[in-house]
Amino acid sequence: MENIITVIMAAGKGTRMKTNKSKVVHKIYGKELVTRVVDLAERIGSDEIVAVVGHQKESVEEVLKGRVKFVEQKELLGTGHALMQAVPYLEGKKGKVVILYGDVPLIREDTLRKLINKSETESEYATLLTAIYDNPTGYGRIIRDIDGRVTEIVEEKDATDEQRKIREINSGIYCFDIPELLLAIKEITPNNAQGEYYLTDVIKIMSEKGLKTGALIVEDNTEILGVNDRIQLELLTRVLRMRINTEHMKNGVTIEDSNCTYIYDDVKIGRDTVIHPNTTIKDGVVIGENCEIGPNAYIREGCIIENNAKVGSFVELKKTKVGEGSKVPHLSYMGDCEIGKNVNIGCGTITCNYDGAEKHKTKIGDDSFIGSNVNLVAPVNVGKNVVVAAGSTITDDVPDNALSIARQRQLNKEGWSIKNKKTKKK
Ligand code: UD1
Ligand code: CA
């Protein structure tokens, strides 16, 4: 494959977000919009990634530093002007440049690969990603000639009434041949309704030169959704949620209510596992087959849940391994904990993993039974086949096969209440 340089436009203002930082550093599912775009650029094998920053650039630089090259667009004079800032990274290069937007994070890797592939196999100098919209208002319209070849993109504000009826719109995502793009952007002028340098003008410039241009129509329009306000931010979160949940369901996971099941990126879940509502599963968690999770479970980063395990209601887990067949059925916090196989963790049991300065580990051996409302003060090791009495506060290691009771003996003072109540009445 040829050299690929990806340019990410992220200089825009985001006025409607009403934010003190760049809109592209707002998060969906815990990850900044622009970080998702950079992830994507890396996954398609970009040799270089250039981010065009401007408005609130410090916030963008902070989240992307070390991963991309930055160029600054000091004045927002349009998408063509934005790309001009990246010219130093394109000059003298052969191959393709892919244009992405910092606020359009849900494009599928597969779609971009198809776009690049189309530009290569069909020898196109510009390949656009387009979509068919029922209501195309506001978008650039795709003009094709009688043979269906793309000849031009006309912005809404510059379009004739006839052109406004066109329902094929420009997503703003493209793959260009680098040398020809560099020639074409020199010819862009701001002679249009908005007085901007339109990147879209390069299509007309190229096609008038006789250079082949084409378009790939995206199958799933949600891929090209962008974020301009917090309502769209929520919409994209919802789209991503459904996309991730659908993938798990296709793989044999039962999700009782997809609307309130929040599975973050790169989670693995085995077959026949059932996820009850109001469950959150953070990035990278691994869950085995035939497990039961939730309702109201919060499984944070670094957790591994093995086959046939149960993590029930109001249970929070962090950096915890739940061994095969083990159960944490209700009201527990297990952090930095390694739970063996066939362990039962009683209701209300918690690990006290943090001493105010550092986190410490708890280990619980196979076949152990931890009674209700036990505090496991880490670092602590509970052996195999142990029984810990309910209400215990375990500060010392427990050997295999032991019963551990760490609470005060109960004292019953007979007749105390009658006497005490009488004294009070006097
Ligand atoms: C652009 C396209 C339009 C397309 C639409 C898709 C042009 C002229 N028009 O519209 O055909 O349908 O995207 O959403 O390209 N940006 C900068 N610097 C600038 C201007 C924009 O970095 O000077 C960034 C913005 O932050 C944003 C992206 O470019 O991420 C698109 O800008 P926006 O103003 O939303 O797009 P339009 O120009 O309206
Ligand atoms: Ca408790």
Side-chain angles (χ1 to χ4, degrees), residues 9-13 23 52 73 75-79 81-82 101-103 138-140 153 155 169-172 174 196-200 228:
M9 314 270 210
K13 238 183 168 180
K23 72 168 166 179
V52 182
Q73 187 189 17
E75 266 184 293
L76 298 184
L77 302 179
T79 50
H81 183 256
Y101 294 95
D103 55 359
Y139 293 91
I153 300 172
E155 292 305 296
I169 62 102
N170 173 31
S171 71
Y174 322 83
E196 283 183 5
Y197 292 90
Y198 289 167
L199 177 56
T200 46
N228 293 306

PDB file of all heavy atoms in Angstrom, residues 9-13 23 52 73 75-79 81-82 101-103 138-140 153 155 169-172 174 196-200 228, ligand 1:
ATOM      1  N   MET A   9      -8.966  17.752  10.955  1.00  0.00           N
ATOM      2  CA  MET A   9      -9.354  19.153  11.154  1.00  0.00           C
ATOM      3  C   MET A   9      -9.959  19.315  12.543  1.00  0.00           C
ATOM      4  O   MET A   9     -10.959  18.677  12.857  1.00  0.00           O
ATOM      5  CB  MET A   9     -10.414  19.551  10.137  1.00  0.00           C
ATOM      6  CG  MET A   9     -10.098  19.111   8.741  1.00  0.00           C
ATOM      7  SD  MET A   9      -9.172  20.371   7.922  1.00  0.00           S
ATOM      8  CE  MET A   9      -9.709  20.090   6.257  1.00  0.00           C
ATOM      9  N   ALA A  10      -9.342  20.180  13.310  1.00  0.00           N
ATOM     10  CA  ALA A  10      -9.844  20.344  14.687  1.00  0.00           C
ATOM     11  C   ALA A  10      -9.629  21.769  15.185  1.00  0.00           C
ATOM     12  O   ALA A  10      -9.318  22.003  16.341  1.00  0.00           O
ATOM     13  CB  ALA A  10      -9.146  19.349  15.604  1.00  0.00           C
ATOM     14  N   ALA A  11      -9.803  22.718  14.268  1.00  0.00           N
ATOM     15  CA  ALA A  11      -9.568  24.116  14.646  1.00  0.00           C
ATOM     16  C   ALA A  11     -10.860  24.842  15.003  1.00  0.00           C
ATOM     17  O   ALA A  11     -10.844  25.926  15.567  1.00  0.00           O
ATOM     18  CB  ALA A  11      -8.864  24.844  13.512  1.00  0.00           C
ATOM     19  N   GLY A  12     -11.980  24.212  14.684  1.00  0.00           N
ATOM     20  CA  GLY A  12     -13.298  24.858  14.783  1.00  0.00           C
ATOM     21  C   GLY A  12     -13.659  25.340  16.178  1.00  0.00           C
ATOM     22  O   GLY A  12     -13.064  24.941  17.170  1.00  0.00           O
ATOM     23  N   LYS A  13     -14.661  26.209  16.209  1.00  0.00           N
ATOM     24  CA  LYS A  13     -14.961  26.942  17.433  1.00  0.00           C
ATOM     25  C   LYS A  13     -15.892  26.238  18.413  1.00  0.00           C
ATOM     26  O   LYS A  13     -15.730  26.387  19.622  1.00  0.00           O
ATOM     27  CB  LYS A  13     -15.529  28.316  17.082  1.00  0.00           C
ATOM     28  CG  LYS A  13     -14.690  29.414  17.690  1.00  0.00           C
ATOM     29  CD  LYS A  13     -15.279  30.768  17.425  1.00  0.00           C
ATOM     30  CE  LYS A  13     -14.573  31.802  18.284  1.00  0.00           C
ATOM     31  NZ  LYS A  13     -15.088  33.133  18.073  1.00  0.00           N
ATOM     32  N   LYS A  23     -14.268  21.675  21.458  1.00  0.00           N
ATOM     33  CA  LYS A  23     -15.350  20.679  21.465  1.00  0.00           C
ATOM     34  C   LYS A  23     -14.829  19.269  21.195  1.00  0.00           C
ATOM     35  O   LYS A  23     -15.421  18.297  21.644  1.00  0.00           O
ATOM     36  CB  LYS A  23     -16.450  21.059  20.479  1.00  0.00           C
ATOM     37  CG  LYS A  23     -16.108  20.910  19.025  1.00  0.00           C
ATOM     38  CD  LYS A  23     -17.368  21.040  18.188  1.00  0.00           C
ATOM     39  CE  LYS A  23     -17.019  21.246  16.738  1.00  0.00           C
ATOM     40  NZ  LYS A  23     -18.198  21.344  15.884  1.00  0.00           N
ATOM     41  N   VAL A  52      -4.915  19.757  12.619  1.00  0.00           N
ATOM     42  CA  VAL A  52      -5.002  21.207  12.434  1.00  0.00           C
ATOM     43  C   VAL A  52      -5.754  21.755  13.640  1.00  0.00           C
ATOM     44  O   VAL A  52      -6.938  21.456  13.838  1.00  0.00           O
ATOM     45  CB  VAL A  52      -5.753  21.564  11.130  1.00  0.00           C
ATOM     46  CG1 VAL A  52      -5.777  23.079  10.931  1.00  0.00           C
ATOM     47  CG2 VAL A  52      -5.129  20.867   9.929  1.00  0.00           C
ATOM     48  N   GLN A  73      -4.019  26.719  12.751  1.00  0.00           N
ATOM     49  CA  GLN A  73      -4.781  27.587  11.859  1.00  0.00           C
ATOM     50  C   GLN A  73      -5.189  28.793  12.708  1.00  0.00           C
ATOM     51  O   GLN A  73      -6.058  28.684  13.577  1.00  0.00           O
ATOM     52  CB  GLN A  73      -6.011  26.843  11.317  1.00  0.00           C
ATOM     53  CG  GLN A  73      -6.758  27.621  10.249  1.00  0.00           C
ATOM     54  CD  GLN A  73      -8.087  26.981   9.874  1.00  0.00           C
ATOM     55  OE1 GLN A  73      -8.624  26.139  10.581  1.00  0.00           O
ATOM     56  NE2 GLN A  73      -8.635  27.412   8.749  1.00  0.00           N
ATOM     57  N   GLU A  75      -6.514  31.779  11.885  1.00  0.00           N
ATOM     58  CA  GLU A  75      -7.815  32.363  11.573  1.00  0.00           C
ATOM     59  C   GLU A  75      -8.651  31.291  10.903  1.00  0.00           C
ATOM     60  O   GLU A  75      -8.144  30.578  10.028  1.00  0.00           O
ATOM     61  CB  GLU A  75      -7.637  33.503  10.566  1.00  0.00           C
ATOM     62  CG  GLU A  75      -7.515  34.878  11.178  1.00  0.00           C
ATOM     63  CD  GLU A  75      -7.448  35.914  10.066  1.00  0.00           C
ATOM     64  OE1 GLU A  75      -6.439  35.905   9.327  1.00  0.00           O
ATOM     65  OE2 GLU A  75      -8.400  36.691   9.925  1.00  0.00           O
ATOM     66  N   LEU A  76      -9.906  31.204  11.246  1.00  0.00           N
ATOM     67  CA  LEU A  76     -10.759  30.170  10.648  1.00  0.00           C
ATOM     68  C   LEU A  76     -11.324  30.664   9.323  1.00  0.00           C
ATOM     69  O   LEU A  76     -12.395  31.258   9.282  1.00  0.00           O
ATOM     70  CB  LEU A  76     -11.888  29.798  11.603  1.00  0.00           C
ATOM     71  CG  LEU A  76     -11.479  29.207  12.948  1.00  0.00           C
ATOM     72  CD1 LEU A  76     -12.706  28.802  13.747  1.00  0.00           C
ATOM     73  CD2 LEU A  76     -10.564  27.993  12.763  1.00  0.00           C
ATOM     74  N   LEU A  77     -10.577  30.412   8.260  1.00  0.00           N
ATOM     75  CA  LEU A  77     -10.998  30.921   6.952  1.00  0.00           C
ATOM     76  C   LEU A  77     -11.549  29.822   6.058  1.00  0.00           C
ATOM     77  O   LEU A  77     -11.595  29.969   4.845  1.00  0.00           O
ATOM     78  CB  LEU A  77      -9.811  31.629   6.271  1.00  0.00           C
ATOM     79  CG  LEU A  77      -9.206  32.806   7.061  1.00  0.00           C
ATOM     80  CD1 LEU A  77      -8.023  33.399   6.300  1.00  0.00           C
ATOM     81  CD2 LEU A  77     -10.244  33.886   7.341  1.00  0.00           C
ATOM     82  N   GLY A  78     -11.945  28.707   6.670  1.00  0.00           N
ATOM     83  CA  GLY A  78     -12.575  27.644   5.886  1.00  0.00           C
ATOM     84  C   GLY A  78     -11.767  26.358   5.854  1.00  0.00           C
ATOM     85  O   GLY A  78     -10.594  26.330   6.232  1.00  0.00           O
ATOM     86  N   THR A  79     -12.440  25.303   5.382  1.00  0.00           N
ATOM     87  CA  THR A  79     -11.814  23.977   5.387  1.00  0.00           C
ATOM     88  C   THR A  79     -10.604  23.901   4.439  1.00  0.00           C
ATOM     89  O   THR A  79      -9.642  23.190   4.718  1.00  0.00           O
ATOM     90  CB  THR A  79     -12.844  22.899   5.000  1.00  0.00           C
ATOM     91  OG1 THR A  79     -13.514  23.317   3.800  1.00  0.00           O
ATOM     92  CG2 THR A  79     -13.876  22.680   6.089  1.00  0.00           C
ATOM     93  N   HIS A  81      -8.587  26.412   3.769  1.00  0.00           N
ATOM     94  CA  HIS A  81      -7.546  27.133   4.500  1.00  0.00           C
ATOM     95  C   HIS A  81      -6.960  26.249   5.615  1.00  0.00           C
ATOM     96  O   HIS A  81      -5.745  26.260   5.861  1.00  0.00           O
ATOM     97  CB  HIS A  81      -8.158  28.421   5.073  1.00  0.00           C
ATOM     98  CG  HIS A  81      -7.179  29.285   5.795  1.00  0.00           C
ATOM     99  ND1 HIS A  81      -7.145  29.358   7.168  1.00  0.00           N
ATOM    100  CD2 HIS A  81      -6.199  30.107   5.346  1.00  0.00           C
ATOM    101  CE1 HIS A  81      -6.184  30.191   7.531  1.00  0.00           C
ATOM    102  NE2 HIS A  81      -5.592  30.660   6.448  1.00  0.00           N
ATOM    103  N   ALA A  82      -7.827  25.482   6.250  1.00  0.00           N
ATOM    104  CA  ALA A  82      -7.360  24.556   7.297  1.00  0.00           C
ATOM    105  C   ALA A  82      -6.354  23.568   6.703  1.00  0.00           C
ATOM    106  O   ALA A  82      -5.278  23.336   7.254  1.00  0.00           O
ATOM    107  CB  ALA A  82      -8.538  23.815   7.928  1.00  0.00           C
ATOM    108  N   TYR A 101     -12.307  14.652  10.487  1.00  0.00           N
ATOM    109  CA  TYR A 101     -12.687  15.768  11.348  1.00  0.00           C
ATOM    110  C   TYR A 101     -12.637  15.342  12.811  1.00  0.00           C
ATOM    111  O   TYR A 101     -13.092  14.246  13.153  1.00  0.00           O
ATOM    112  CB  TYR A 101     -14.095  16.259  10.989  1.00  0.00           C
ATOM    113  CG  TYR A 101     -14.124  16.852   9.608  1.00  0.00           C
ATOM    114  CD1 TYR A 101     -14.487  16.093   8.511  1.00  0.00           C
ATOM    115  CD2 TYR A 101     -13.709  18.167   9.412  1.00  0.00           C
ATOM    116  CE1 TYR A 101     -14.450  16.626   7.231  1.00  0.00           C
ATOM    117  CE2 TYR A 101     -13.669  18.705   8.142  1.00  0.00           C
ATOM    118  CZ  TYR A 101     -14.036  17.940   7.057  1.00  0.00           C
ATOM    119  OH  TYR A 101     -13.985  18.460   5.801  1.00  0.00           O
ATOM    120  N   GLY A 102     -12.119  16.223  13.614  1.00  0.00           N
ATOM    121  CA  GLY A 102     -12.004  15.925  15.043  1.00  0.00           C
ATOM    122  C   GLY A 102     -13.335  15.739  15.730  1.00  0.00           C
ATOM    123  O   GLY A 102     -13.404  15.137  16.804  1.00  0.00           O
ATOM    124  N   ASP A 103     -14.405  16.227  15.105  1.00  0.00           N
ATOM    125  CA  ASP A 103     -15.726  16.109  15.730  1.00  0.00           C
ATOM    126  C   ASP A 103     -16.619  15.097  15.020  1.00  0.00           C
ATOM    127  O   ASP A 103     -17.824  15.085  15.223  1.00  0.00           O
ATOM    128  CB  ASP A 103     -16.409  17.480  15.799  1.00  0.00           C
ATOM    129  CG  ASP A 103     -16.505  18.158  14.424  1.00  0.00           C
ATOM    130  OD1 ASP A 103     -16.031  17.574  13.427  1.00  0.00           O
ATOM    131  OD2 ASP A 103     -17.054  19.275  14.355  1.00  0.00           O
ATOM    132  N   GLY A 138     -28.194  22.176   4.596  1.00  0.00           N
ATOM    133  CA  GLY A 138     -26.983  22.571   5.325  1.00  0.00           C
ATOM    134  C   GLY A 138     -25.708  21.936   4.799  1.00  0.00           C
ATOM    135  O   GLY A 138     -24.615  22.428   5.056  1.00  0.00           O
ATOM    136  N   TYR A 139     -25.841  20.861   4.086  1.00  0.00           N
ATOM    137  CA  TYR A 139     -24.644  20.144   3.610  1.00  0.00           C
ATOM    138  C   TYR A 139     -24.273  20.522   2.188  1.00  0.00           C
ATOM    139  O   TYR A 139     -25.116  20.981   1.420  1.00  0.00           O
ATOM    140  CB  TYR A 139     -24.889  18.628   3.659  1.00  0.00           C
ATOM    141  CG  TYR A 139     -25.019  18.113   5.061  1.00  0.00           C
ATOM    142  CD1 TYR A 139     -26.269  18.036   5.677  1.00  0.00           C
ATOM    143  CD2 TYR A 139     -23.893  17.740   5.789  1.00  0.00           C
ATOM    144  CE1 TYR A 139     -26.390  17.582   6.978  1.00  0.00           C
ATOM    145  CE2 TYR A 139     -24.009  17.285   7.093  1.00  0.00           C
ATOM    146  CZ  TYR A 139     -25.263  17.207   7.682  1.00  0.00           C
ATOM    147  OH  TYR A 139     -25.369  16.774   8.965  1.00  0.00           O
ATOM    148  N   GLY A 140     -23.034  20.262   1.844  1.00  0.00           N
ATOM    149  CA  GLY A 140     -22.591  20.404   0.468  1.00  0.00           C
ATOM    150  C   GLY A 140     -23.248  19.309  -0.369  1.00  0.00           C
ATOM    151  O   GLY A 140     -23.343  18.161   0.067  1.00  0.00           O
ATOM    152  N   ILE A 153     -18.724  19.872  -5.827  1.00  0.00           N
ATOM    153  CA  ILE A 153     -19.536  19.924  -4.607  1.00  0.00           C
ATOM    154  C   ILE A 153     -19.996  21.358  -4.472  1.00  0.00           C
ATOM    155  O   ILE A 153     -19.182  22.292  -4.554  1.00  0.00           O
ATOM    156  CB  ILE A 153     -18.724  19.536  -3.352  1.00  0.00           C
ATOM    157  CG1 ILE A 153     -18.169  18.111  -3.482  1.00  0.00           C
ATOM    158  CG2 ILE A 153     -19.583  19.667  -2.093  1.00  0.00           C
ATOM    159  CD1 ILE A 153     -17.202  17.728  -2.378  1.00  0.00           C
ATOM    160  N   GLU A 155     -21.858  24.073  -2.026  1.00  0.00           N
ATOM    161  CA  GLU A 155     -22.314  24.324  -0.657  1.00  0.00           C
ATOM    162  C   GLU A 155     -23.755  24.842  -0.670  1.00  0.00           C
ATOM    163  O   GLU A 155     -24.178  25.520  -1.615  1.00  0.00           O
ATOM    164  CB  GLU A 155     -21.392  25.353   0.015  1.00  0.00           C
ATOM    165  CG  GLU A 155     -19.998  24.833   0.277  1.00  0.00           C
ATOM    166  CD  GLU A 155     -19.983  23.555   1.095  1.00  0.00           C
ATOM    167  OE1 GLU A 155     -20.411  23.588   2.254  1.00  0.00           O
ATOM    168  OE2 GLU A 155     -19.570  22.502   0.561  1.00  0.00           O
ATOM    169  N   ILE A 169     -25.117  14.032  -0.192  1.00  0.00           N
ATOM    170  CA  ILE A 169     -24.373  15.108   0.481  1.00  0.00           C
ATOM    171  C   ILE A 169     -22.908  14.714   0.713  1.00  0.00           C
ATOM    172  O   ILE A 169     -22.544  13.537   0.715  1.00  0.00           O
ATOM    173  CB  ILE A 169     -25.030  15.498   1.818  1.00  0.00           C
ATOM    174  CG1 ILE A 169     -25.043  14.312   2.807  1.00  0.00           C
ATOM    175  CG2 ILE A 169     -26.456  16.018   1.622  1.00  0.00           C
ATOM    176  CD1 ILE A 169     -24.002  14.348   3.863  1.00  0.00           C
ATOM    177  N   ASN A 170     -22.124  15.750   0.938  1.00  0.00           N
ATOM    178  CA  ASN A 170     -20.698  15.564   1.212  1.00  0.00           C
ATOM    179  C   ASN A 170     -20.501  15.373   2.710  1.00  0.00           C
ATOM    180  O   ASN A 170     -20.924  16.203   3.509  1.00  0.00           O
ATOM    181  CB  ASN A 170     -19.968  16.829   0.729  1.00  0.00           C
ATOM    182  CG  ASN A 170     -18.506  16.826   1.108  1.00  0.00           C
ATOM    183  OD1 ASN A 170     -17.883  15.771   1.200  1.00  0.00           O
ATOM    184  ND2 ASN A 170     -17.951  18.011   1.329  1.00  0.00           N
ATOM    185  N   SER A 171     -19.863  14.288   3.080  1.00  0.00           N
ATOM    186  CA  SER A 171     -19.595  14.050   4.508  1.00  0.00           C
ATOM    187  C   SER A 171     -18.431  14.901   4.993  1.00  0.00           C
ATOM    188  O   SER A 171     -18.270  15.124   6.182  1.00  0.00           O
ATOM    189  CB  SER A 171     -19.243  12.573   4.736  1.00  0.00           C
ATOM    190  OG  SER A 171     -17.954  12.304   4.196  1.00  0.00           O
ATOM    191  N   GLY A 172     -17.600  15.358   4.053  1.00  0.00           N
ATOM    192  CA  GLY A 172     -16.399  16.117   4.446  1.00  0.00           C
ATOM    193  C   GLY A 172     -15.185  15.224   4.630  1.00  0.00           C
ATOM    194  O   GLY A 172     -14.104  15.692   4.948  1.00  0.00           O
ATOM    195  N   TYR A 174     -12.554  12.622   2.927  1.00  0.00           N
ATOM    196  CA  TYR A 174     -12.044  12.371   1.571  1.00  0.00           C
ATOM    197  C   TYR A 174     -10.739  11.591   1.608  1.00  0.00           C
ATOM    198  O   TYR A 174     -10.050  11.557   2.626  1.00  0.00           O
ATOM    199  CB  TYR A 174     -11.696  13.680   0.844  1.00  0.00           C
ATOM    200  CG  TYR A 174     -12.590  14.850   1.060  1.00  0.00           C
ATOM    201  CD1 TYR A 174     -12.433  15.661   2.192  1.00  0.00           C
ATOM    202  CD2 TYR A 174     -13.573  15.168   0.135  1.00  0.00           C
ATOM    203  CE1 TYR A 174     -13.254  16.772   2.378  1.00  0.00           C
ATOM    204  CE2 TYR A 174     -14.382  16.276   0.309  1.00  0.00           C
ATOM    205  CZ  TYR A 174     -14.224  17.069   1.443  1.00  0.00           C
ATOM    206  OH  TYR A 174     -15.027  18.164   1.623  1.00  0.00           O
ATOM    207  N   GLU A 196     -15.156  32.071   2.179  1.00  0.00           N
ATOM    208  CA  GLU A 196     -14.232  31.099   2.789  1.00  0.00           C
ATOM    209  C   GLU A 196     -13.423  30.374   1.717  1.00  0.00           C
ATOM    210  O   GLU A 196     -13.840  30.292   0.568  1.00  0.00           O
ATOM    211  CB  GLU A 196     -15.025  30.033   3.560  1.00  0.00           C
ATOM    212  CG  GLU A 196     -15.554  30.495   4.890  1.00  0.00           C
ATOM    213  CD  GLU A 196     -16.267  29.360   5.630  1.00  0.00           C
ATOM    214  OE1 GLU A 196     -16.251  28.213   5.144  1.00  0.00           O
ATOM    215  OE2 GLU A 196     -16.852  29.653   6.691  1.00  0.00           O
ATOM    216  N   TYR A 197     -12.306  29.811   2.150  1.00  0.00           N
ATOM    217  CA  TYR A 197     -11.581  28.893   1.275  1.00  0.00           C
ATOM    218  C   TYR A 197     -12.205  27.514   1.457  1.00  0.00           C
ATOM    219  O   TYR A 197     -12.050  26.906   2.504  1.00  0.00           O
ATOM    220  CB  TYR A 197     -10.098  28.841   1.652  1.00  0.00           C
ATOM    221  CG  TYR A 197      -9.358  30.124   1.356  1.00  0.00           C
ATOM    222  CD1 TYR A 197      -9.277  31.138   2.310  1.00  0.00           C
ATOM    223  CD2 TYR A 197      -8.724  30.313   0.128  1.00  0.00           C
ATOM    224  CE1 TYR A 197      -8.596  32.324   2.047  1.00  0.00           C
ATOM    225  CE2 TYR A 197      -8.039  31.490  -0.150  1.00  0.00           C
ATOM    226  CZ  TYR A 197      -7.980  32.497   0.808  1.00  0.00           C
ATOM    227  OH  TYR A 197      -7.311  33.657   0.543  1.00  0.00           O
ATOM    228  N   TYR A 198     -12.945  27.093   0.449  1.00  0.00           N
ATOM    229  CA  TYR A 198     -13.638  25.799   0.523  1.00  0.00           C
ATOM    230  C   TYR A 198     -12.713  24.669   0.054  1.00  0.00           C
ATOM    231  O   TYR A 198     -12.264  24.684  -1.098  1.00  0.00           O
ATOM    232  CB  TYR A 198     -14.845  25.763  -0.427  1.00  0.00           C
ATOM    233  CG  TYR A 198     -16.044  26.600  -0.084  1.00  0.00           C
ATOM    234  CD1 TYR A 198     -17.038  26.796  -1.049  1.00  0.00           C
ATOM    235  CD2 TYR A 198     -16.238  27.154   1.177  1.00  0.00           C
ATOM    236  CE1 TYR A 198     -18.185  27.527  -0.777  1.00  0.00           C
ATOM    237  CE2 TYR A 198     -17.390  27.897   1.459  1.00  0.00           C
ATOM    238  CZ  TYR A 198     -18.351  28.075   0.481  1.00  0.00           C
ATOM    239  OH  TYR A 198     -19.481  28.791   0.743  1.00  0.00           O
ATOM    240  N   LEU A 199     -12.512  23.693   0.898  1.00  0.00           N
ATOM    241  CA  LEU A 199     -11.767  22.514   0.458  1.00  0.00           C
ATOM    242  C   LEU A 199     -12.530  21.803  -0.669  1.00  0.00           C
ATOM    243  O   LEU A 199     -11.937  21.212  -1.570  1.00  0.00           O
ATOM    244  CB  LEU A 199     -11.551  21.561   1.652  1.00  0.00           C
ATOM    245  CG  LEU A 199     -10.846  20.246   1.369  1.00  0.00           C
ATOM    246  CD1 LEU A 199      -9.493  20.461   0.716  1.00  0.00           C
ATOM    247  CD2 LEU A 199     -10.691  19.448   2.656  1.00  0.00           C
ATOM    248  N   THR A 200     -13.841  21.893  -0.594  1.00  0.00           N
ATOM    249  CA  THR A 200     -14.695  21.228  -1.589  1.00  0.00           C
ATOM    250  C   THR A 200     -14.415  21.691  -3.018  1.00  0.00           C
ATOM    251  O   THR A 200     -14.681  20.964  -3.967  1.00  0.00           O
ATOM    252  CB  THR A 200     -16.173  21.499  -1.246  1.00  0.00           C
ATOM    253  OG1 THR A 200     -16.312  22.897  -0.946  1.00  0.00           O
ATOM    254  CG2 THR A 200     -16.609  20.710  -0.031  1.00  0.00           C
ATOM    255  N   ASN A 228     -21.913  19.187  17.282  1.00  0.00           N
ATOM    256  CA  ASN A 228     -21.883  20.655  17.379  1.00  0.00           C
ATOM    257  C   ASN A 228     -22.421  21.157  18.706  1.00  0.00           C
ATOM    258  O   ASN A 228     -22.195  22.298  19.080  1.00  0.00           O
ATOM    259  CB  ASN A 228     -22.698  21.283  16.249  1.00  0.00           C
ATOM    260  CG  ASN A 228     -22.044  21.019  14.909  1.00  0.00           C
ATOM    261  OD1 ASN A 228     -20.874  21.321  14.713  1.00  0.00           O
ATOM    262  ND2 ASN A 228     -22.786  20.409  14.002  1.00  0.00           N
TER     263      ASN A 228
HETATM  264  C1  UD1 B   1     -18.187  21.146   5.295  1.00  0.00           C
HETATM  265  C2  UD1 B   1     -18.199  20.969   3.784  1.00  0.00           C
HETATM  266  C3  UD1 B   1     -19.579  20.479   3.342  1.00  0.00           C
HETATM  267  C4  UD1 B   1     -19.950  19.203   4.087  1.00  0.00           C
HETATM  268  C5  UD1 B   1     -19.847  19.438   5.585  1.00  0.00           C
HETATM  269  C6  UD1 B   1     -20.054  18.144   6.336  1.00  0.00           C
HETATM  270  C7  UD1 B   1     -16.660  22.673   3.008  1.00  0.00           C
HETATM  271  C8  UD1 B   1     -16.546  23.984   2.352  1.00  0.00           C
HETATM  272  N1  UD1 B   1     -17.900  22.223   3.161  1.00  0.00           N
HETATM  273  O1  UD1 B   1     -19.120  22.130   5.620  1.00  0.00           O
HETATM  274  O2  UD1 B   1     -19.587  20.239   1.971  1.00  0.00           O
HETATM  275  O3  UD1 B   1     -21.265  18.816   3.733  1.00  0.00           O
HETATM  276  O4  UD1 B   1     -18.539  19.921   5.916  1.00  0.00           O
HETATM  277  O5  UD1 B   1     -20.189  18.415   7.695  1.00  0.00           O
HETATM  278  O6  UD1 B   1     -15.686  22.048   3.333  1.00  0.00           O
HETATM  279  N2  UD1 B   1     -12.707  23.570  10.274  1.00  0.00           N
HETATM  280  C9  UD1 B   1     -11.455  24.027  10.571  1.00  0.00           C
HETATM  281  N3  UD1 B   1     -11.088  25.245  10.129  1.00  0.00           N
HETATM  282  C10 UD1 B   1     -11.919  26.045   9.399  1.00  0.00           C
HETATM  283  C11 UD1 B   1     -13.203  25.562   9.094  1.00  0.00           C
HETATM  284  C12 UD1 B   1     -13.562  24.305   9.547  1.00  0.00           C
HETATM  285  O7  UD1 B   1     -10.677  23.352  11.221  1.00  0.00           O
HETATM  286  O8  UD1 B   1     -11.501  27.140   9.034  1.00  0.00           O
HETATM  287  C13 UD1 B   1     -13.117  22.250  10.754  1.00  0.00           C
HETATM  288  C14 UD1 B   1     -14.258  22.358  11.754  1.00  0.00           C
HETATM  289  O9  UD1 B   1     -13.766  22.383  13.070  1.00  0.00           O
HETATM  290  C15 UD1 B   1     -15.043  21.090  11.497  1.00  0.00           C
HETATM  291  C16 UD1 B   1     -14.793  20.800  10.026  1.00  0.00           C
HETATM  292  O10 UD1 B   1     -13.638  21.547   9.657  1.00  0.00           O
HETATM  293  O11 UD1 B   1     -14.540  20.000  12.233  1.00  0.00           O
HETATM  294  C17 UD1 B   1     -15.967  21.141   9.129  1.00  0.00           C
HETATM  295  O12 UD1 B   1     -16.268  22.492   9.306  1.00  0.00           O
HETATM  296  P1  UD1 B   1     -17.757  23.014   9.259  1.00  0.00           P
HETATM  297  O13 UD1 B   1     -17.730  24.490   9.351  1.00  0.00           O
HETATM  298  O14 UD1 B   1     -18.581  22.247  10.213  1.00  0.00           O
HETATM  299  O15 UD1 B   1     -18.195  22.513   7.832  1.00  0.00           O
HETATM  300  P2  UD1 B   1     -18.783  23.331   6.645  1.00  0.00           P
HETATM  301  O16 UD1 B   1     -17.717  24.176   6.035  1.00  0.00           O
HETATM  302  O17 UD1 B   1     -20.055  23.923   7.038  1.00  0.00           O
END
